[in-house]
Amino acid sequence: MDERRLPLILRAVGAWIVTLLLFFPLGWLVLTSFKTELQAIHVPPLFFFEPTLENFTEVQRRSDYLLFARNSLITSIGSTIIGLAIAAPAAYSMAFFRTKRTRDILMWMLSTKMMPAVGALVPIYVIAQTAGLLDTRTALTVVFTLSNLPIMVWMLYTSYKDIPPEILEAARMDGANLWTEFRHVVLPLSIGGLASTGLLCLILSWNEAFWALNLSSAKAGTLATMIASYSSPEGLFWAKLSAASVMAIAPIVVFGWFSQKQLVQGLTFGAVK
Amino acid sequence: MAYLQLDNIQKSFGDTHVIKGVNLEIDKGEFIVFVGPSGCGKSTLLRLIAGLESITSGRLLLDGKDITQTPSGKRDLAMVFQSYALYPHMSVFDNMSFALKLAGVSKDVIKSKVDYAAKTLNLTQYLARTPKELSGGQRQRVAIGRAIVRAPKVFLFDEPLSNLDAALRGNTRVEIHKLHRALGATSIYVTHDQVEAMTLADRVVVLRDGLIEQVGTPMELYDRPANQFVAQFIGMPSMNMVEAKAIPSFSAQTGGRLPADGFLGVRPEALRVHQGQGIGAPARVELIEALGADTLIHIDVGGVPLVARQNERTDLQAGDAVSVELDPAVLHFFNREGRTVAA
């Protein structure tokens, strides 16, 4: 055998093992969601069985799936739009109008992500309570926006940094004002970065569980809270829990599947060019 | 009255004083070149005129109007950047028409203007392409075309040729020269290349440390430099600079016009090198650089290194004993402070 092919094959095998390891829990989740509760706890575990849809109908009957889905949609899309509206100008000013402190501000923003979220739980809970915003989509949207902002600013900052400043100066000489410069030059040149930032923010908000669980319940709860509601109080119903999870993550997985190219491009910005 | 007037322009970045008071009057249709060593402030001065940097103090007047505080886009100036700064996502046509589009010019007018500029610059067949599908020279022409289309009051060039290779640089330099002849547009051109400065300029502005050292036509600067700095900056190879007492034989040849503690400046072509010991100062050949059209002879005159240039080829070789004579008609005298003293 060709000696150079051996490392290639080993690498492929390694990659497949890692991929299967990563995929297995998700695959098992999907399998379980089509089992009955008895099949779900069967020992040894069943790989082949008669699939049933009863878990899905049960989930929809017991807990209004569409309400949670709508909350998830509104809070994640809302926080993405608001986040982009704040992060885009912030990153713009930091990328093109640097000061001595720009680097420090960026680092400080990132450092807020280093603190565990639970550290801010009490103050934020109290603020939400005082403002009468507990269990509202408004509170979740605001908190999602705030927790994603540092990453959004960073991502947009790096994508703006890829635009040579002379191009903006050329536009200014050509008579562009701040808005036309952004609309005709910055936006088209950073649309990839903007899209992937938005996508990532959407996914992070959709999957967010900590704040959703702590700040909402029946009215504003997102799909993450719906999954959680299947775990403890009435004992563990593995099949239904799995069905709820599948229903919760399916939209974002499908969405992520179609936008993966954009996402990878955005997350490896600068590294490729 | 001057078309573009710089009135005591100053610029500081924090504590760093970059432009220390520049006064300059530029006439309509003039081609002005800012030249100077790196860090002399020539690019900064251009950016101040462009409005890309704010002026710390002083006034800038264009066509009788004070534009010191006017934003770049409203000054009616066009700039050609060193990196071309084309809009990468737009076609050549869109690049060249962007300013007109923003100004709300009608599509027919835009088309005719762009077509005309493209024809002038040989870009007609590339109008639909994007910048990355063009060569360096073509990008450069698009950048110039983008400026021409606007018919601005003043063209600003920021080292536009320094990203091109040597051969292309020569051609483009000639093209810019012809273009200026054809359009007669007022232009300010920044470069560190003195060949560009000498060939393109109606008047050259020599800058050093944020101040103007001298303003004049290329030949004025060459023949009558105001000081040692200009004398040595203009001309290739540089003017030889000899301390007054270093070579007694030279001092004698100047006929007493040289200040006792000053400097003698001799252009390489004003030095004549003779084989063997004869008239002039005795010297030794250090190195011969034969360039084809002319020959540079590096010599050592009693410990002072000098360069001579002659049009003829030479049989001299390193180590040969020679004698050096001055051409008394083209000597330069400087006092201790480096300022030119009347010859």
PDB file of all heavy atoms in Angstrom, chain B residues 300-321:
ATOM      1  N   ASP B 300      38.029  58.700  -3.729  1.00  0.00           N
ATOM      2  CA  ASP B 300      38.415  59.111  -2.385  1.00  0.00           C
ATOM      3  C   ASP B 300      39.457  60.212  -2.529  1.00  0.00           C
ATOM      4  O   ASP B 300      40.526  59.994  -3.092  1.00  0.00           O
ATOM      5  CB  ASP B 300      39.004  57.894  -1.657  1.00  0.00           C
ATOM      6  CG  ASP B 300      39.396  58.216  -0.232  1.00  0.00           C
ATOM      7  OD1 ASP B 300      40.274  59.100  -0.027  1.00  0.00           O
ATOM      8  OD2 ASP B 300      38.832  57.583   0.678  1.00  0.00           O
ATOM      9  N   VAL B 301      39.079  61.412  -2.056  1.00  0.00           N
ATOM     10  CA  VAL B 301      40.015  62.542  -2.163  1.00  0.00           C
ATOM     11  C   VAL B 301      40.511  62.864  -0.764  1.00  0.00           C
ATOM     12  O   VAL B 301      39.812  63.513   0.017  1.00  0.00           O
ATOM     13  CB  VAL B 301      39.319  63.780  -2.766  1.00  0.00           C
ATOM     14  CG1 VAL B 301      40.354  64.873  -3.040  1.00  0.00           C
ATOM     15  CG2 VAL B 301      38.573  63.422  -4.037  1.00  0.00           C
ATOM     16  N   GLY B 302      41.696  62.393  -0.431  1.00  0.00           N
ATOM     17  CA  GLY B 302      42.282  62.649   0.887  1.00  0.00           C
ATOM     18  C   GLY B 302      41.341  62.278   2.025  1.00  0.00           C
ATOM     19  O   GLY B 302      41.185  63.046   2.975  1.00  0.00           O
ATOM     20  N   GLY B 303      40.661  61.145   1.914  1.00  0.00           N
ATOM     21  CA  GLY B 303      39.779  60.684   2.984  1.00  0.00           C
ATOM     22  C   GLY B 303      38.334  61.123   2.819  1.00  0.00           C
ATOM     23  O   GLY B 303      37.466  60.715   3.583  1.00  0.00           O
ATOM     24  N   VAL B 304      38.054  61.998   1.841  1.00  0.00           N
ATOM     25  CA  VAL B 304      36.667  62.438   1.619  1.00  0.00           C
ATOM     26  C   VAL B 304      36.077  61.648   0.443  1.00  0.00           C
ATOM     27  O   VAL B 304      36.602  61.716  -0.658  1.00  0.00           O
ATOM     28  CB  VAL B 304      36.610  63.944   1.296  1.00  0.00           C
ATOM     29  CG1 VAL B 304      35.164  64.386   1.136  1.00  0.00           C
ATOM     30  CG2 VAL B 304      37.331  64.737   2.372  1.00  0.00           C
ATOM     31  N   PRO B 305      34.988  60.883   0.684  1.00  0.00           N
ATOM     32  CA  PRO B 305      34.396  60.126  -0.420  1.00  0.00           C
ATOM     33  C   PRO B 305      33.513  61.015  -1.297  1.00  0.00           C
ATOM     34  O   PRO B 305      32.705  61.792  -0.783  1.00  0.00           O
ATOM     35  CB  PRO B 305      33.546  59.062   0.291  1.00  0.00           C
ATOM     36  CG  PRO B 305      33.218  59.657   1.619  1.00  0.00           C
ATOM     37  CD  PRO B 305      34.300  60.647   1.956  1.00  0.00           C
ATOM     38  N   LEU B 306      33.716  60.934  -2.607  1.00  0.00           N
ATOM     39  CA  LEU B 306      32.932  61.736  -3.551  1.00  0.00           C
ATOM     40  C   LEU B 306      32.439  60.831  -4.669  1.00  0.00           C
ATOM     41  O   LEU B 306      32.984  59.754  -4.906  1.00  0.00           O
ATOM     42  CB  LEU B 306      33.781  62.856  -4.162  1.00  0.00           C
ATOM     43  CG  LEU B 306      34.385  63.893  -3.221  1.00  0.00           C
ATOM     44  CD1 LEU B 306      35.279  64.834  -4.022  1.00  0.00           C
ATOM     45  CD2 LEU B 306      33.294  64.669  -2.497  1.00  0.00           C
ATOM     46  N   VAL B 307      31.376  61.293  -5.357  1.00  0.00           N
ATOM     47  CA  VAL B 307      30.882  60.563  -6.516  1.00  0.00           C
ATOM     48  C   VAL B 307      30.915  61.490  -7.718  1.00  0.00           C
ATOM     49  O   VAL B 307      30.449  62.630  -7.638  1.00  0.00           O
ATOM     50  CB  VAL B 307      29.436  60.068  -6.311  1.00  0.00           C
ATOM     51  CG1 VAL B 307      29.002  59.201  -7.491  1.00  0.00           C
ATOM     52  CG2 VAL B 307      29.295  59.293  -5.028  1.00  0.00           C
ATOM     53  N   ALA B 308      31.464  60.988  -8.819  1.00  0.00           N
ATOM     54  CA  ALA B 308      31.463  61.756 -10.062  1.00  0.00           C
ATOM     55  C   ALA B 308      30.619  61.009 -11.077  1.00  0.00           C
ATOM     56  O   ALA B 308      30.512  59.792 -11.036  1.00  0.00           O
ATOM     57  CB  ALA B 308      32.885  61.920 -10.580  1.00  0.00           C
ATOM     58  N   ARG B 309      29.977  61.770 -11.972  1.00  0.00           N
ATOM     59  CA  ARG B 309      29.197  61.142 -13.018  1.00  0.00           C
ATOM     60  C   ARG B 309      29.693  61.672 -14.364  1.00  0.00           C
ATOM     61  O   ARG B 309      29.913  62.869 -14.540  1.00  0.00           O
ATOM     62  CB  ARG B 309      27.715  61.480 -12.865  1.00  0.00           C
ATOM     63  CG  ARG B 309      26.840  60.644 -13.810  1.00  0.00           C
ATOM     64  CD  ARG B 309      25.670  61.384 -14.411  1.00  0.00           C
ATOM     65  NE  ARG B 309      24.928  62.213 -13.501  1.00  0.00           N
ATOM     66  CZ  ARG B 309      23.794  61.844 -12.895  1.00  0.00           C
ATOM     67  NH1 ARG B 309      23.297  60.665 -13.105  1.00  0.00           N
ATOM     68  NH2 ARG B 309      23.178  62.694 -12.122  1.00  0.00           N
ATOM     69  N   GLN B 310      29.889  60.771 -15.317  1.00  0.00           N
ATOM     70  CA  GLN B 310      30.243  61.217 -16.660  1.00  0.00           C
ATOM     71  C   GLN B 310      29.456  60.413 -17.676  1.00  0.00           C
ATOM     72  O   GLN B 310      29.026  59.298 -17.412  1.00  0.00           O
ATOM     73  CB  GLN B 310      31.752  61.090 -16.888  1.00  0.00           C
ATOM     74  CG  GLN B 310      32.259  59.667 -16.809  1.00  0.00           C
ATOM     75  CD  GLN B 310      33.764  59.593 -17.018  1.00  0.00           C
ATOM     76  OE1 GLN B 310      34.502  60.402 -16.461  1.00  0.00           O
ATOM     77  NE2 GLN B 310      34.206  58.640 -17.816  1.00  0.00           N
ATOM     78  N   ASN B 311      29.214  61.008 -18.832  1.00  0.00           N
ATOM     79  CA  ASN B 311      28.425  60.343 -19.854  1.00  0.00           C
ATOM     80  C   ASN B 311      29.224  59.293 -20.601  1.00  0.00           C
ATOM     81  O   ASN B 311      28.675  58.315 -21.095  1.00  0.00           O
ATOM     82  CB  ASN B 311      27.871  61.359 -20.849  1.00  0.00           C
ATOM     83  CG  ASN B 311      26.802  62.229 -20.208  1.00  0.00           C
ATOM     84  OD1 ASN B 311      26.108  61.779 -19.297  1.00  0.00           O
ATOM     85  ND2 ASN B 311      26.707  63.474 -20.645  1.00  0.00           N
ATOM     86  N   GLU B 312      30.533  59.501 -20.672  1.00  0.00           N
ATOM     87  CA  GLU B 312      31.357  58.545 -21.408  1.00  0.00           C
ATOM     88  C   GLU B 312      31.650  57.340 -20.525  1.00  0.00           C
ATOM     89  O   GLU B 312      31.631  57.434 -19.307  1.00  0.00           O
ATOM     90  CB  GLU B 312      32.694  59.185 -21.827  1.00  0.00           C
ATOM     91  CG  GLU B 312      32.569  60.457 -22.619  1.00  0.00           C
ATOM     92  CD  GLU B 312      32.287  61.659 -21.716  1.00  0.00           C
ATOM     93  OE1 GLU B 312      32.757  61.657 -20.565  1.00  0.00           O
ATOM     94  OE2 GLU B 312      31.566  62.582 -22.165  1.00  0.00           O
ATOM     95  N   ARG B 313      31.954  56.215 -21.174  1.00  0.00           N
ATOM     96  CA  ARG B 313      32.414  55.058 -20.406  1.00  0.00           C
ATOM     97  C   ARG B 313      33.863  55.297 -20.011  1.00  0.00           C
ATOM     98  O   ARG B 313      34.503  56.208 -20.501  1.00  0.00           O
ATOM     99  CB  ARG B 313      32.282  53.794 -21.250  1.00  0.00           C
ATOM    100  CG  ARG B 313      30.829  53.618 -21.637  1.00  0.00           C
ATOM    101  CD  ARG B 313      30.485  52.302 -22.187  1.00  0.00           C
ATOM    102  NE  ARG B 313      29.058  52.317 -22.521  1.00  0.00           N
ATOM    103  CZ  ARG B 313      28.404  51.299 -22.995  1.00  0.00           C
ATOM    104  NH1 ARG B 313      29.040  50.166 -23.226  1.00  0.00           N
ATOM    105  NH2 ARG B 313      27.116  51.385 -23.255  1.00  0.00           N
ATOM    106  N   THR B 314      34.366  54.480 -19.091  1.00  0.00           N
ATOM    107  CA  THR B 314      35.708  54.735 -18.594  1.00  0.00           C
ATOM    108  C   THR B 314      36.545  53.458 -18.569  1.00  0.00           C
ATOM    109  O   THR B 314      36.009  52.362 -18.454  1.00  0.00           O
ATOM    110  CB  THR B 314      35.647  55.338 -17.176  1.00  0.00           C
ATOM    111  OG1 THR B 314      36.969  55.580 -16.737  1.00  0.00           O
ATOM    112  CG2 THR B 314      34.974  54.386 -16.212  1.00  0.00           C
ATOM    113  N   ASP B 315      37.843  53.650 -18.678  1.00  0.00           N
ATOM    114  CA  ASP B 315      38.756  52.513 -18.553  1.00  0.00           C
ATOM    115  C   ASP B 315      39.296  52.413 -17.144  1.00  0.00           C
ATOM    116  O   ASP B 315      40.041  51.500 -16.815  1.00  0.00           O
ATOM    117  CB  ASP B 315      39.938  52.677 -19.529  1.00  0.00           C
ATOM    118  CG  ASP B 315      39.462  52.630 -20.969  1.00  0.00           C
ATOM    119  OD1 ASP B 315      38.456  51.931 -21.219  1.00  0.00           O
ATOM    120  OD2 ASP B 315      40.067  53.302 -21.822  1.00  0.00           O
ATOM    121  N   LEU B 316      38.946  53.392 -16.331  1.00  0.00           N
ATOM    122  CA  LEU B 316      39.469  53.417 -14.966  1.00  0.00           C
ATOM    123  C   LEU B 316      39.012  52.178 -14.200  1.00  0.00           C
ATOM    124  O   LEU B 316      37.949  51.611 -14.481  1.00  0.00           O
ATOM    125  CB  LEU B 316      38.969  54.655 -14.225  1.00  0.00           C
ATOM    126  CG  LEU B 316      39.526  56.000 -14.694  1.00  0.00           C
ATOM    127  CD1 LEU B 316      38.797  57.133 -13.991  1.00  0.00           C
ATOM    128  CD2 LEU B 316      41.021  56.067 -14.413  1.00  0.00           C
ATOM    129  N   GLN B 317      39.848  51.806 -13.224  1.00  0.00           N
ATOM    130  CA  GLN B 317      39.488  50.670 -12.383  1.00  0.00           C
ATOM    131  C   GLN B 317      39.720  51.023 -10.932  1.00  0.00           C
ATOM    132  O   GLN B 317      40.477  51.950 -10.622  1.00  0.00           O
ATOM    133  CB  GLN B 317      40.349  49.468 -12.752  1.00  0.00           C
ATOM    134  CG  GLN B 317      39.874  48.813 -14.040  1.00  0.00           C
ATOM    135  CD  GLN B 317      40.666  47.583 -14.380  1.00  0.00           C
ATOM    136  OE1 GLN B 317      41.730  47.334 -13.816  1.00  0.00           O
ATOM    137  NE2 GLN B 317      40.136  46.812 -15.319  1.00  0.00           N
ATOM    138  N   ALA B 318      39.052  50.288 -10.053  1.00  0.00           N
ATOM    139  CA  ALA B 318      39.218  50.540  -8.626  1.00  0.00           C
ATOM    140  C   ALA B 318      40.701  50.495  -8.273  1.00  0.00           C
ATOM    141  O   ALA B 318      41.405  49.593  -8.712  1.00  0.00           O
ATOM    142  CB  ALA B 318      38.434  49.514  -7.825  1.00  0.00           C
ATOM    143  N   GLY B 319      41.162  51.460  -7.484  1.00  0.00           N
ATOM    144  CA  GLY B 319      42.553  51.496  -7.076  1.00  0.00           C
ATOM    145  C   GLY B 319      43.404  52.437  -7.902  1.00  0.00           C
ATOM    146  O   GLY B 319      44.496  52.826  -7.482  1.00  0.00           O
ATOM    147  N   ASP B 320      42.919  52.843  -9.086  1.00  0.00           N
ATOM    148  CA  ASP B 320      43.697  53.740  -9.943  1.00  0.00           C
ATOM    149  C   ASP B 320      43.897  55.099  -9.274  1.00  0.00           C
ATOM    150  O   ASP B 320      43.016  55.595  -8.582  1.00  0.00           O
ATOM    151  CB  ASP B 320      42.978  53.968 -11.277  1.00  0.00           C
ATOM    152  CG  ASP B 320      43.088  52.754 -12.189  1.00  0.00           C
ATOM    153  OD1 ASP B 320      43.748  51.776 -11.773  1.00  0.00           O
ATOM    154  OD2 ASP B 320      42.503  52.792 -13.283  1.00  0.00           O
ATOM    155  N   ALA B 321      45.064  55.687  -9.530  1.00  0.00           N
ATOM    156  CA  ALA B 321      45.325  57.040  -9.047  1.00  0.00           C
ATOM    157  C   ALA B 321      44.813  58.025 -10.093  1.00  0.00           C
ATOM    158  O   ALA B 321      45.086  57.861 -11.283  1.00  0.00           O
ATOM    159  CB  ALA B 321      46.817  57.237  -8.814  1.00  0.00           C
TER     160      ALA B 321
END
